[in-house]
Structure formats: structure tokens, C-alpha cells
Amino acid sequence: TQVVTVTGEAPVVNTTTSSLGGLVNDQQIAELPLNGRNYTDLTLLQPGITATTHSGLGDAGIWYSSNGASPRSNNYMIDGALMVTQNGTGPAGMTGNTLGVDGIKEYKVITSMFSAEYGLLMGSQMIIVSKGGSNHWHGSAFEFLRNNHLDARNFFDPQPSLANKILVDASGNLERLPQFKRNNFGGSFGGPIQKDKTFFWLVYEGLRLSQGDTIQDTTMPAACHYLTNGTNNIIVGGGPVPSTITPPAGFTQQTVQTPLTGYSLAAAGCGTAPAGTPVASIVTPWIGQFPFSNETGVVGSNYTFPGFTHARDDYAQLRIDHNFSENDTFFTRYTFDDARVTTPYLGGNLSTSDTGTGYPQFSNIGTSRNQYITLGENHV
């Protein structure tokens, strides 16, 4: 006779360890929604975790604070080995993505009171276990696509005539929305090299992003470009002259690469400087770097143009397991992530989601390459 007894008693308190945290297994990784396939986002499911974001060289991706500790106080380990960047931050690439979901078996986040087997940092411990092969062949392939043709227009998006002057379709019509094309693709494959002895698991994941960013900045008034020395009347640079601006008669536009001596403002309206104000020769080449204002109906001299953010991220991981005997096993794992981001922003902004100020002749480029290799033997 078999008897099954079900009780509603509370579970026994864990008296063997004082650490707090939670485990995210492969089923949760596979089934929970992940925007961008960043498995570190699942860390935010744990109590006491608060998200924060950073952008810049070595600081990309999602950071988090564990129970109020500094976001730089979190340690990342995979298969018992460190998995941090040269700045001591999380394993994300320059694009801000932590790829490789198909290569992760599970991970555990210990938020506080961890034991002496962990160390280095005081905030939390993120312990990752990579996925290995087996006696059966398994594989997967995927592609996720998102682009502006599938999106609704944001209320704050500029009109196509302003934001997308260079974005046209095959018929020459203006695009309805700023450009956004994101492709996330890859696959995994693994199985036995030698049955019951040697196995492998290979993962590749790629990301391609092309995003239109409407840049708005303050530029100099048009009168700052009109210079004269009494004989020569010139328009110093400024790029194409918008139809809303009418230069003085008798002025010719030219690019100035060397300082001009003896020139003064030919017209009033360059800030508070009246016509006839001398212009320092050393600044004359810089005047032409500022474009003419091309926005109408606004106060001040504003300039806008459709900038572009481009991002590329390639991730790969290979794990090989070998069983020498029942009491002696060995594995090696190599993880590689290479990323590059180009943004139209000034001031070192390398985020792929934020906007900022900029001019067409300037851009920011950020690259990253993270590599990790681990060899381990378990002998009983």
C-alpha cells in the first residue's frame, strides 16, 4: 500500500547558509521574454535589485545595484572564472547587449551574505554555468527582425519633410518614420564527438542595427558667416544655404581653411555684435564649420539633420567536455564577443538609444572585444 501525504506547513528555514539570492534555470531563460535577448535582464527579477544604465567605453549595457550597493560592486563569473571587462563591469559588448542565451545552462544571483567561496566584490555575485553537449544531436536557428515599417509613428517624431530628407523609398517618396532596422540572428549546435566520452556545444549570435536619429543643435546666426575686408565680400562656409536665408548681394561662398586677416562682420545680427565688428583671424576657419540654421518658426538659430547610429555585434562560444573516467572529467570553454558602434552624437555619447547634439561632419566610434577562456578538471 502506498500513501501520499500533502501538508500545508511552511518549509523548513535554511540553516546551512546565510546567503540570499535566486536561481534562473534554462527553462526560464528560454521562456521568459527578453527584449534584445539580454539574459542579464533576468537579474532584475530578484528582490533588492535596481536597474541602472551606462554608456561609454567599457561601460555599456545594463548595470544594477544590489541592496543599495554601488553598480560597480557586482562580480560576474562563468564556470568559476571571471567574466568582466577591462573596466571591471559586466560582460556586455559596446552595443550594450549581453548575447549568447543559447549557450547558458543556468545562472544564480547571490545578492548578499555570500560565503567565502566567492569574493572580489561586495555587491552581488552572478554565477553563470555554460551549456554543454550530450550523446544526442541538438540545434536551433533563429532570426528576430524589427524595423520602422512595422512601427507606429511616435507622437513626438518629426514630420518626414524635416526628419527624413535623405530617407526615401524606391519611388522617391519620403519615409514615414525615422529609420530603424534591427536584426538579431544566430543558432546553436552540439552533440557527441565520441559517444559517452567527448561532446561539444557551439553557439553564434549576431546583431545588426541601423537607426535614424534626428539631431537638433544650436548653431550661429547667419550674419556670423558674412565677412568683408572692404574689397572682398565672402560667405564663410556654412554648408548649403537654406531657402529661408537670403545672403547680402555681392557675396560669394567659399571654404576657409587658413586664418583670414583684416575681416569684419558685414551685417548686423551675429549675436550682440554690430556690423563692422572686427573678427579675430584665428576663428575665421571655425566659423565655416557651423552650418546655417535650417529650422523655421522657432526662436534662435537651430539646426537639425537626420543622423544615423550603426551597430554590429558578433558573439560566439564553444564548449568541449571530455570524460576520462567516471571519476575524472575535463572541459574547456572559449567565449568571444566583438562589437562596434558608430553614433552621430558629440560629447562621447555611444549609447544606441539616447539622442544628443551633433553636426554632420562629426561622429563617435566605439569598439570592444571581450574574450574569455576556461579550462577545468574535476577529479574525485
Side-chain angles (χ1 to χ4, degrees):
T1 302
Q2 293 182 340
V3 178
V4 177
T5 303
V6 179
T7 63
E9 299 176 356
V12 179
V13 175
N14 185 353
T15 59
T16 61
T17 176
S18 60
S19 63
L20 299 175
L23 176 71
V24 180
N25 57 36
D26 54 347
Q27 182 178 2
Q28 291 174 304
I29 293 176
E31 295 181 357
L32 289 175
L34 286 174
N35 184 17
R37 292 176 59 83
N38 290 286
Y39 63 85
T40 54
D41 288 358
L42 298 177
T43 306
L44 306 178
L45 297 175
Q46 306 303 323
I49 299 296
T50 304
T52 180
T53 57
H54 289 250
S55 64
L57 185 60
D59 294 341
I62 291 182
W63 290 20
Y64 63 89
S65 172
S66 175
N67 297 314
S70 167
R72 288 187 179 272
S73 299
N74 303 308
N75 191 35
Y76 298 80
M77 302 186 74
I78 181 169
D79 299 325
L82 282 176
M83 192 183 189
V84 294
T85 65
Q86 62 180 4
N87 287 6
T89 61
M94 184 57 66
T95 61
N97 294 275
T98 308
L99 303 180
V101 173
D102 293 343
I104 303 301
K105 175 66 176 176
E106 65 183 25
Y107 74 85
K108 177 171 61 174
V109 181
I110 306 177
T111 56
S112 62
M113 301 295 290
F114 39 84
S115 61
E117 64 181 296
Y118 308 108
L120 300 179
L121 293 167
M122 55 173 266
S124 71
Q125 302 285 332
M126 185 170 180
I127 314 302
I128 305 170
V129 178
S130 62
K131 184 180 294 186
S134 65
N135 276 328
H136 302 282
W137 296 102
H138 294 281
S140 65
F142 66 89
E143 179 174 5
F144 296 95
L145 168 66
R146 179 186 168 191
N147 62 35
N148 52 285
H149 298 293
L150 305 176
D151 291 346
R153 182 180 180 274
N154 188 297
F155 178 81
F156 297 100
D157 278 336
Q159 294 296 326
S161 59
L162 179 63
N164 295 322
K165 292 181 179 179
I166 61 174
L167 299 178
V168 296
D169 59 20
S171 302
N173 300 314
L174 293 172
E175 291 274 11
R176 181 175 59 92
L177 297 173
Q179 185 183 92
F180 186 89
K181 293 180 173 61
R182 179 188 175 101
N183 286 75
N184 194 188
F185 55 91
S188 60
F189 181 70
I193 298 176
Q194 181 181 1
K195 187 176 181 180
D196 296 329
K197 282 289 186 180
T198 310
F199 318 96
F200 78 96
W201 188 260
L202 176 65
V203 175
Y204 169 77
E205 187 165 352
L207 172 68
R208 301 294 185 268
L209 173 69
S210 179
Q211 173 180 301
D213 300 297
T214 302
I215 309 299
Q216 185 179 52
D217 209 346
T218 301
T219 188
M220 294 193 301
C224 298
H225 294 269
Y226 309 145
L227 305 183
T228 182
N229 63 357
T231 303
N232 298 319
N233 301 320
I234 62 174
I235 301 174
V236 180
V241 181
S243 59
T244 55
I245 295 178
T246 304
F251 280 68
T252 58
Q253 189 177 30
Q254 60 180 271
T255 301
V256 176
Q257 296 179 337
T258 57
L260 299 178
T261 304
Y263 278 81
S264 59
L265 293 177
C270 182
T272 59
T277 302
V279 178
S281 61
I282 195 172
V283 303
T284 50
W286 292 101
I287 294 175
Q289 295 295 320
F290 290 86
F292 284 102
S293 173
N294 62 357
E295 282 194 348
T296 59
V298 296
V299 178
S301 299
N302 292 332
Y303 176 75
T304 184
F305 73 98
F308 290 92
T309 292
H310 299 282
R312 174 194 58 79
D313 201 340
D314 291 295
Y315 173 95
Q317 179 171 287
L318 174 63
R319 171 166 174 152
I320 297 177
D321 294 84
H322 181 73
N323 299 327
F324 293 104
S325 65
E326 293 183 357
N327 299 325
D328 195 0
T329 61
F330 171 84
F331 83 92
T332 181
R333 188 214 70 259
Y334 173 64
T335 305
F336 173 87
D337 182 81
D338 187 85
R340 177 186 175 93
V341 176
T342 303
T343 69
Y345 313 128
L346 295 177
N349 187 353
L350 286 168
S351 172
T352 58
S353 59
D354 296 335
T355 186
T357 60
Y359 292 105
Q361 64 268 47
F362 300 106
S363 63
N364 276 310
I365 298 176
T367 60
S368 66
R369 175 170 292 179
N370 301 329
Q371 300 181 82
Y372 313 95
I373 186 169
T374 304
L375 296 90
E377 182 186 11
N378 292 322
H379 185 84
V380 180

